[in-house]
Amino acid sequence: MTRKSKKIGCDSCHWTGYVIDDSSTNARAVLCECIENCEECGGSGNILSENENGYSYLALCQSCGVIRRNVKLYNISGVPAKYAHVLQVDAGLDPKRMNTSLQKALKYAKQEFVKKYPTKNGFLLMGPSGLGKTHLAVGTISELTLKHGVKCMFKDFFYLLSELKQAYSEGSPENDVILPLVETDVLVIDELGKGRSNEWELNILDQLISKRYNASKKTLITTNYVTYDIAKEIGDKHEILEVRIGDRIASRLYEMCEFLYLEGRDFRKEQKKAQKSQ
Amino acid sequence: MGNNPDYIREIEKYFLSLAGKGIMLSSMDYALILEWRNKEIPLEVILKGINRAFEKSKLMNGLETTSIRNLKQCVQYINSSIDEFRPIIGKNKGKDDSLDEGYTLDIVVDRLSKYIESAKEEVIRNYYIDMKENILRSANENSPNILSLSAKIEEESLQKFFMKLPKLEREQISLKAKNTLGDRARHMTDQALEESIVSFRNEIISNKYRLKNIFSLTEDNLD
């Protein structure tokens, strides 16, 4: 497994080999010119190698092959453009300004989940809006795709259900609809429980979660709802997660994810306040 | 709980019932109670701390006598009771975020002191001592958020621990860490590969030598 990669990159791409474009709905990584003109492979991304038995085979270019592959993975992950700047778990997060719950979540996401992928459980981030739940989830899959070469997918719960509904109503075979969501190594479901889910929608969600559970795939979830236990402890009258998604799905999630409760002040409100006072 | 008028009365009553006749609370004692009430520390947690203070005092002074004359003498036990119940207290709404740092630094130092006390092997005791000293020094210099600082120092300490191991053992551990990554390593950037190997290596060392983490996320992931 010893690897001798040649350092590639330039100042324009901050030595990453790609730049991020946020001009469309989803963020897109674009290969930097320095990669396009790779001296090792001439920009093809592959080089002809020979194994110990003398057979030739096409191998990934040691200089740019990994970057090319990972950029493709990032581009199909569906990271929303507004999170284009979040390329790693701790991007833009200042430890001195984070409360303990966010630091703990960050520690789990970065030190445990990403660095020790795929040996640790996924995570479920719960708590009020504006605390950085989606930021952490996006940072996690951005780092996993761009640096670890893991296939990930980001889905807003609401849109996920709409897409599934549309596909079913168009008569697409069930497997065509649900399979890509099951097969992806890491799936982010953002804002789980948002909207009034009917029985059919919960049934589809149940199928998806169960299939991912059986396939030992990692699932990351963000939600504004809290579990019974947390609601009891904080004395919150919030709607309960188990009520929104049903005990069966919640029980699966308990096995698949570390449940992390985030608390604190809404950073969007704080930002707005700060802007007003300037 | 913050507006509960019985809060003060309950603590007062409980303290006096243990302290015995002829004792009254001072204004300083009432200030302490108000501080706890403002921080929304549950009544039961305070009472538990008071109880422990008296139990300890009785053990030291003979079964029926106690040297406790004011609440301040119970503060140490009340604070450890607060630390112990912090996973629950921490979730109270409206608490002052700035309290986190002090509490958490105390928790870290307290945990490390316990680890040092219980460590049987010198090499492991030194590992905790070194980590505790580093954390105290860095926390005083920069006043950073203690969890991130602890994580960083813990990683550095594990690295030092690894470097002190015999060469053959180091090689075996590194190989095991690389094998955990397997074929996935081909698709990782050099930096990610290195970070993951170190991470797995640290986990292997921690398990092998039973080194305790400062923060175990599975044990107290919500505090």
Side-chain angles (χ1 to χ4, degrees):
Chain A
M1 203 189 60
T2 328
R3 215 169 54 177
K4 280 181 188 155
S5 307
K6 203 174 150 190
K7 183 87 177 153
I8 199 161
C10 65
D11 286 341
S12 315
C13 60
H14 304 288
W15 297 88
T16 57
Y18 52 82
V19 286
I20 302 292
D21 172 22
D22 61 357
S23 58
S24 47
T25 322
N26 290 339
R28 253 187 80 75
V30 181
L31 286 174
C32 180
E33 270 180 37
C34 62
I35 291 274
E36 294 287 15
N37 306 319
C38 171
E39 285 173 12
E40 298 286 311
C41 63
S44 69
N46 297 307
I47 45 165
L48 207 57
S49 292
E50 205 170 81
N51 68 11
E52 57 268 27
N53 299 324
Y55 290 109
S56 295
Y57 67 100
L58 211 55
L60 276 183
C61 169
Q62 291 218 331
S63 293
C64 70
V66 166
I67 297 172
R68 284 174 185 278
R69 180 184 180 274
N70 294 354
V71 156
K72 279 184 197 159
L73 288 178
Y74 179 79
N75 290 342
I76 58 168
S77 68
V79 168
K82 72 171 174 175
Y83 292 102
H85 62 290
V86 187
L87 297 177
Q88 54 188 47
V89 188
D90 48 359
L93 296 174
D94 177 2
K96 288 179 190 169
R97 300 187 59 168
M98 288 191 280
N99 64 25
T100 308
S101 68
L102 182 56
Q103 281 191 73
K104 284 214 157 191
L106 172 63
K107 186 173 184 269
Y108 184 78
K110 177 110 185 161
Q111 307 294 340
E112 301 294 317
F113 187 74
V114 172
K115 287 190 183 172
K116 293 176 188 166
Y117 178 84
T119 61
K120 303 288 168 187
N121 267 347
F123 52 82
L124 183 146
L125 303 171
M126 54 188 157
S129 305
L131 298 180
K133 298 188 296 294
T134 307
H135 186 113
L136 272 187
V138 168
T140 302
I141 60 166
S142 297
E143 193 163 334
L144 279 176
T145 50
L146 289 168
K147 294 182 178 167
H148 291 246
V150 178
K151 192 176 179 187
C152 302
M153 199 179 274
F154 179 94
K155 288 284 174 190
D156 177 281
F157 179 64
F158 201 66
Y159 287 108
L160 171 70
L161 289 180
S162 309
E163 273 176 24
L164 289 173
K165 232 185 277 180
Q166 195 186 340
Y168 277 106
S169 66
E170 285 168 359
S172 310
E174 190 169 310
N175 264 351
D176 285 5
V177 182
I178 217 160
L179 214 57
L181 296 166
V182 175
E183 280 184 338
T184 191
D185 293 322
V186 179
L187 174 69
V188 173
I189 303 177
D190 193 34
E191 300 208 61
L192 179 70
K194 189 169 79 174
R196 287 272 154 207
S197 308
N198 59 34
E199 206 175 311
W200 180 86
E201 289 168 343
L202 287 180
N203 189 29
I204 289 291
L205 180 68
D206 190 3
Q207 268 190 58
L208 173 61
I209 299 289
S210 295
K211 282 184 177 170
R212 288 191 62 78
Y213 172 81
N214 291 333
S216 302
K217 302 283 186 181
K218 307 293 171 190
T219 306
L220 313 181
I221 287 170
T222 76
T223 179
N224 288 344
Y225 300 98
V226 295
T227 54
Y228 278 125
D229 294 345
I230 299 288
K232 217 160 77 183
E233 282 171 18
I234 61 176
D236 202 340
K237 291 185 179 67
H238 233 80
E239 207 161 343
I240 307 295
L241 183 68
E242 287 94 333
V243 174
R244 299 291 298 191
I245 61 170
D247 281 335
R248 193 183 140 84
I249 300 173
S251 162
R252 281 260 189 269
L253 292 179
Y254 269 119
E255 280 190 62
M256 297 163 80
C257 300
E258 289 296 324
F259 277 49
L260 301 164
Y261 172 62
L262 297 190
E263 58 182 348
R265 301 185 187 98
D266 184 335
F267 84 93
R268 295 189 192 100
K269 275 188 194 165
E270 299 278 313
Q271 250 178 356
K272 222 171 187 178
K273 242 191 252 175
Q275 280 166 1
K276 271 185 186 172
S277 63
Q278 272 171 8
Chain B
M1 180 220 349
N3 298 319
N4 184 359
D6 291 337
Y7 193 85
I8 300 174
R9 215 172 304 142
E10 286 290 328
I11 292 176
E12 184 184 31
K13 210 168 86 184
Y14 190 70
F15 175 82
L16 295 178
S17 73
L18 294 174
K21 286 175 185 171
I23 292 188
M24 279 174 71
L25 291 186
S26 68
S27 54
M28 211 189 256
D29 290 333
Y30 284 110
L32 273 172
I33 300 177
L34 285 174
E35 197 183 315
W36 293 323
R37 194 176 73 168
N38 292 341
K39 285 180 188 170
E40 300 191 4
I41 309 291
L43 186 63
E44 296 71 26
V45 174
I46 306 293
L47 300 186
K48 198 158 193 141
I50 294 173
N51 185 275
R52 278 181 189 164
F54 277 95
E55 272 178 8
K56 188 84 184 173
S57 166
K58 280 178 183 171
L59 269 179
M60 287 164 75
N61 296 299
L63 272 179
E64 292 308 318
T65 48
T66 172
S67 58
I68 296 176
R69 290 286 175 270
N70 55 54
L71 256 185
K72 207 179 166 203
Q73 289 173 275
C74 305
V75 163
Q76 185 195 342
Y77 296 93
I78 292 171
N79 281 346
S80 60
S81 176
I82 291 170
D83 287 347
E84 193 181 318
F85 289 90
R86 182 141 181 79
I88 296 164
I89 300 165
K91 282 184 228 68
N92 281 337
K93 285 184 98 183
K95 78 180 172 68
D96 182 357
D97 284 344
S98 64
L99 291 176
D100 281 352
E101 276 185 27
Y103 275 132
T104 322
L105 177 62
D106 287 347
I107 292 170
V108 170
V109 171
D110 189 47
R111 278 190 188 183
L112 284 170
S113 302
K114 280 179 193 157
Y115 296 167
I116 292 165
E117 247 174 63
S118 62
K120 287 183 183 114
E121 289 173 56
E122 199 183 343
V123 62
I124 294 173
R125 196 176 310 121
N126 288 340
Y127 163 79
Y128 293 129
I129 290 172
D130 187 46
M131 197 157 33
K132 185 179 163 185
E133 282 171 0
N134 277 340
I135 285 173
L136 280 171
R137 192 168 43 241
S138 307
N140 290 338
E141 277 168 11
N142 310 314
S143 300
N145 220 324
I146 201 68
L147 181 60
S148 305
L149 176 74
S150 308
K152 192 172 155 259
I153 289 176
E154 196 164 30
E155 203 175 310
E156 285 167 8
S157 302
L158 279 165
Q159 171 74 6
K160 277 191 222 163
F161 189 92
F162 174 74
M163 292 313 290
K164 283 180 192 163
L165 295 173
K167 194 178 172 217
L168 182 67
E169 193 179 352
R170 284 206 308 266
E171 283 170 0
Q172 284 169 344
I173 290 172
S174 296
L175 186 68
K176 203 173 167 189
K178 282 176 188 169
N179 288 342
T180 313
L181 280 165
D183 198 37
R184 277 177 297 111
R186 287 194 305 130
H187 304 306
M188 294 167 80
T189 62
D190 291 345
Q191 190 199 347
L193 181 62
E194 202 183 311
E195 284 175 359
S196 281
I197 289 174
V198 170
S199 233
F200 282 123
R201 200 177 70 195
N202 288 347
E203 191 170 74
I204 293 166
I205 298 169
S206 297
N207 291 339
K208 187 171 179 186
Y209 290 92
R210 298 186 179 180
L211 300 175
K212 291 171 190 159
N213 294 334
I214 302 176
F215 289 101
S216 166
L217 287 153
T218 45
E219 162 196 291
D220 56 0
N221 69 24
L222 294 168
D223 72 5

